[in-house]
Structures are given as C-alpha cells and as structure tokens.
Amino acid sequence: MPLVSTVPPQQDDPAAVNERAEKVFFTILENPPESDPAEHYAWLHANAPVFTTGNGMTVLSRYADVSAALRHRSLGRGKESVQHLTDLPPDVLEPVMARWRRTMVFANPPLHTRMRRAISNAFTPYHVERLRPVIHDHAHALLDALADEPGGNFVSRVSSPLGATLVGELVGVPEADRPLLAKLSPESMRVFDPMTAVAELPMAAAAEMRMAEYFTALMGERMRAPKDDVLSRLTAAHKAGELEDVEVVAACSNLMNAGMDTGVNLMSNGLAILLDHPDQIEVLRRDPGLALRAAEELARLDPPLNLNPRTALADCEVAGVRVAEGQIVISVQGAANRDPSRYTDPDRVDVTRDEGPCLTFGGGIHFCMGAHLGRIMVSELLTCLVTHFSAVKRGGPPERRLGHNIRAFLDLPVTLRR
Ligand code: HEM
C-alpha cells in the first residue's frame, strides 16, 4: 500500500504553502466544472493535510483526522451554516431558524439525541429494506424508458424521479405531490448556501415556509388516519409526547432535503464515473453480486458533499492543532476518501475494492441516516443496468451543476441498448 502521495511536496516557505492551501481549499469548495478535485486532494495530502485559513477555519484532509474530527465530542453544530444569514430581515429569518434549530442537522446533544432517537425508531433498516423492490422496479422502468431516447439526460429522466420517489415513499409524501416537493426542496436549501445572493434569500425562505406548511397539513391528515410511513410514526411519537409538532414538521423537511438531492447526485456521479471506465461496467456485468461494493467505490470517488463543517463547542485539540471555542473545522471528506495512506492507489476506479467504508456519509453522532438507503439505491440501479441492458454508454458531453459544496450534474447524456 503506498504511503505517500504521488504529488511531490512543495518546497516553499510555510506562509506560501498556507496561501496556496487556502486557494486549493476554496477551489474544492466552489467546484468549478473544469477542475478535477482529485488533483487538489492530492496536493493537500502532500503539502498541507492540516492547515488554518486566514479567517480561522481549520481544514483537514487525512482519513484518520477527518474520521476523528467527525466523532470529536467537542466539535458540534454552531453557526457554520448560517453565519451568512445576518442580512435577512428578522421576520423572514426567525421562523426558518425556529424550525431548523429543532432539526438533527443543526442540533447538539441533548436535543440532537432526543430527535435522533425518535426519528431512528421511525426509520429503521427494516423500513429501508422494504424499499429495495420498489427501487429495483422503478429504476428498471425509468431506465427502460431512457433506452428509447439515445443521449437522454440520466439526471432528469432517471436519478431525479427515482430519488424523489424513494424519499417521498419513505417519508409518506403522496405521489402527486412529489414534483412540488422536488421543486421546493432545492429552493429552500438555498437559504443555507453562502453563495445565494442576499436578494434571493427571502425567496428561498418562502420555499422553506411552504414546505413547512405542506408537512403541517399532511401531519394533520396522518393524525386522523395513520399510514405505514415515517410521517405517521413521527406523528405517533408526537402524540406520545416525544416530539413537538414543530419538530415533526422540521424532521420531514429535513429528511426530504437531506435525502433527495444527495441521493440523486450520488446516483448521477457514480454513473458518470462508470461511463468513463467502461471496463468496470464489464466487471460488474460478469458479477452483478459486486453491486454493493461498486456503490461504495463510486460513493468514495465522488461524494455529493465533499466538505463537512463542525464548530468547536469548547477549546480543544484537533489533528494535533489547538482549536478555540467557536472556531470552524472543515473536514474535506472527498480528500479523506482518497487518502493514499488509507486506500491503495486511491484514484483508481475499482468496483471490486474492499477496503472498508468511505466517509461520504460523514460520521459520529450526525452520521447520515440515509446511508443504507443511499447504498442500496445505487446498488439496485447498477444491478438493473448490467442485467437488463447490453450496452451502457456516454450519450454526449455532460454538464456539471454549479454550487458550493455540491458535486452534481445538470445533464448526463446516456445511451442504453436493451
Ligand atoms: C444517498 C446519498 C447521501 C449522501 C451522500 C448523504 C450524506 C450525508 C452527510 C455527509 C451527512 C452529514 C453527516 C455528518 O455530519 O457527519 C448526512 C446527514 C444526514 N442525512 Fe444523508 N446523505 C445521503 C442520503 C440521505 C437520505 C436518502 C436520507 C433520508 C431520507 C438522509 C438523511 C440524513 C439525515 C437526517 C442527516 C442528519 C443526521 C444527523 O444530523 O444526525 N441522507 N448525510
């Protein structure tokens, strides 16, 4: 196993290395479509695996450091995702924040522990496994329709409708309402993107409000007539006094937001890698039993979220450096997944790789609740592709989607032959 990166260390003085590291970090954050993050990750591993930016953010890229930081008891949720919102008028900001402070994503213990327990009871591996046939059948139908349209966009024709169906099915959103949620969810998430123009923030906040109103109404329906879905189980937890109504509503928006876009992007990013490595499609075709391993490998190589921020809740030490209370620590999960001291030949695409779980789904108390669903979504999709289609090829030049800490495609043209 190689222990050093293939990128030679830079010989400059420490200030110059830090300055370059900061530029590399912001390039990773902004994800310009023409740049390949792999070379930036390799540069960080070789030159600045731990460094602090001019505005005081400590940035980590080694697997061991990232894994430890995500589990660090003194690192939690603070203002790292909302510090840009100070320009919003309080009457717009407050209702949004009142809900978001009550979601797992933004909470610290003990609130986080209580929310997480109630939601994990409503969303167990058993409930996720029951979705496996739904995923397979729906993926097959969508891929089959795409086969009639050589060069059709995999994102709009397959991964987006599949992601919306799965998360909608899980949470309990009726089929007719899923397109509305698929529109509102990314709009509402723009509240938390520091790149959103101040003038557009109220629109994003309005989308968040509409989602909340939607789930309040649906919760009322489930109070009267429960079904077998996450919303009904959360409503039962509310009746039992375990969750407040605002927490049930916030949890549903949170599950939709956390699951839909990331799931769609995981499928699209994974397929894009395979289209560039047709030999790996053939490996899978010979042994479809490798699909789950392949899903892990594709998630490792291009995570939909390549950065994961935490805030120091107290003065502490992280990766050998002192971090003061309030300071932000950014884990570059995408880089950790390609750490040469953790993975053999980390940039090689190998669907048979068996080197343990990657950090694409985070870690510690905030570890992604949809990780199992995400893995089976991709593995069922791959199984469908190699068992039902004799050729899977690129159908034209892809177009990446722009956004802070988002690795995604707008257009991924694919040509399938039955
Ligand atoms: C399939 C691709 C997905 C990816 C790459 C992904 C990634 C992530 C990441 C990186 C985190 C933060 C973990 C941390 O801070 O340590 C997270 C949290 C979370 N994810 Fe996912 N996710 C995916 C799918 C889903 C799905 C399908 C759902 C649910 C339907 C979901 C629900 C959540 C929730 C609720 C959290 C917050 C957990 C907490 O704060 O305790 N995710 N996810």
Side-chain angles (χ1 to χ4, degrees):
M1 188 182 289
L3 286 174
V4 286
S5 168
T6 47
V7 174
Q10 197 169 315
Q11 298 302 316
D12 293 344
D13 64 274
V17 171
N18 227 65
E19 195 180 316
R20 169 93 189 268
E22 197 158 329
K23 280 197 186 127
V24 166
F25 167 69
F26 280 104
T27 309
I28 293 171
L29 174 68
E30 282 158 19
N31 276 311
E34 68 285 359
S35 98
D36 176 4
E39 69 187 66
H40 305 308
Y41 299 155
W43 190 91
L44 287 180
H45 285 306
N47 295 285
V50 182
F51 75 96
T52 300
T53 62
N55 62 358
M57 293 187 291
T58 295
V59 179
L60 312 174
S61 54
R62 282 190 290 239
Y63 187 101
D65 291 341
V66 167
S67 178
L70 294 174
R71 287 164 179 75
H72 201 302
R73 285 179 170 271
S74 298
L75 297 181
R77 296 302 194 208
K79 294 207 168 87
E80 70 277 0
S81 309
V82 290
Q83 53 190 350
H84 63 291
L85 291 178
T86 44
D87 292 331
L88 263 184
D91 59 320
V92 177
L93 180 61
E94 255 323 296
V96 174
M97 288 317 298
R99 274 185 293 279
W100 279 88
R101 274 191 218 105
R102 312 289 274 277
T103 62
M104 288 176 297
V105 179
F106 287 92
N108 291 310
L111 175 60
H112 178 269
T113 320
R114 180 169 62 78
M115 296 283 304
R116 178 107 186 178
R117 190 177 308 125
I119 294 169
S120 16
N121 288 342
F123 176 16
T124 64
Y126 164 77
H127 297 118
V128 173
E129 271 305 321
R130 277 194 323 186
L131 283 176
R132 199 186 273 275
V134 179
I135 304 176
H136 191 97
D137 293 350
H138 201 51
H140 188 194
L142 292 166
L143 288 168
D144 205 48
L146 186 66
D148 293 327
E149 187 195 330
N153 183 359
F154 176 80
V155 181
S156 58
R157 301 295 304 275
V158 181
S159 59
S160 289
L162 189 56
T165 298
L166 293 178
V167 184
E169 192 83 19
L170 182 88
V171 174
V173 175
E175 204 173 335
D177 299 342
R178 288 176 199 157
L180 171 71
L181 271 294
K183 182 173 168 296
L184 289 177
S185 170
E187 266 173 43
S188 73
M189 288 302 283
R190 298 190 69 217
V191 172
F192 302 102
D193 183 347
M195 289 302 281
T196 304
V198 173
E200 290 174 19
L201 282 172
M203 252 158 24
E208 194 280 340
M209 177 70 89
R210 281 216 55 204
M211 274 182 87
E213 286 164 359
Y214 174 84
F215 281 116
T216 305
L218 200 60
M219 185 182 165
E221 284 180 31
R222 293 298 192 275
M223 287 275 212
R224 292 185 290 279
K227 291 192 174 180
D228 187 10
D229 53 36
V230 168
L231 177 54
S232 300
R233 291 189 282 275
L234 293 178
T235 305
H238 167 61
K239 277 188 181 167
E242 293 163 28
L243 289 175
E244 290 178 30
D245 49 2
V246 64
E247 292 170 343
V248 174
V249 167
C252 289
S253 295
N254 181 197
L255 287 172
M256 295 303 290
N257 291 337
M260 231 160 25
D261 207 34
T262 44
V264 171
N265 300 338
L266 191 73
M267 290 185 267
S268 311
N269 294 359
L271 181 63
I273 295 171
L274 286 181
L275 294 175
D276 283 340
H277 297 84
D279 59 312
Q280 296 298 301
I281 300 183
E282 293 317 308
V283 174
L284 262 178
R285 196 184 293 289
R286 284 194 294 277
D287 183 2
L290 288 170
L292 200 54
R293 242 187 233 186
E296 190 67 29
E297 174 69 343
L298 299 173
R300 178 185 77 82
L301 287 160
D302 200 0
L305 306 166
N306 49 1
L307 307 173
N308 192 343
R310 297 274 197 269
T311 295
L313 304 175
D315 294 353
C316 57
E317 192 177 302
V318 177
V321 298
R322 294 300 304 164
V323 172
E325 181 179 345
Q327 212 177 314
I328 292 174
V329 174
I330 309 257
S331 289
V332 189
Q333 299 177 157
N337 284 346
R338 291 181 186 238
D339 181 345
S341 67
R342 173 68 177 72
Y343 290 100
T344 315
D345 199 358
D347 294 334
R348 184 163 50 87
V349 182
D350 177 2
V351 295
T352 69
R353 191 187 289 273
D354 187 15
E355 291 186 281
C358 62
L359 292 173
T360 293
F361 300 99
I365 63 166
H366 291 282
F367 178 71
C368 174
M369 292 198 76
H372 184 53
L373 178 59
R375 286 176 170 123
I376 62 172
M377 243 185 231
V378 177
S379 72
E380 289 300 325
L381 181 80
L382 296 177
T383 308
C384 256
L385 273 170
V386 297
T387 52
H388 297 295
F389 300 91
S390 62
V392 180
K393 292 194 173 129
R394 203 174 266 302
E399 186 188 345
R400 279 221 168 251
R401 188 173 116 199
L402 298 181
H404 253 66
N405 193 17
I406 289 175
R407 298 278 309 157
F409 284 92
L410 267 182
D411 189 3
L412 183 64
V414 177
T415 296
L416 300 175
R417 197 168 56 233
R418 290 185 188 91

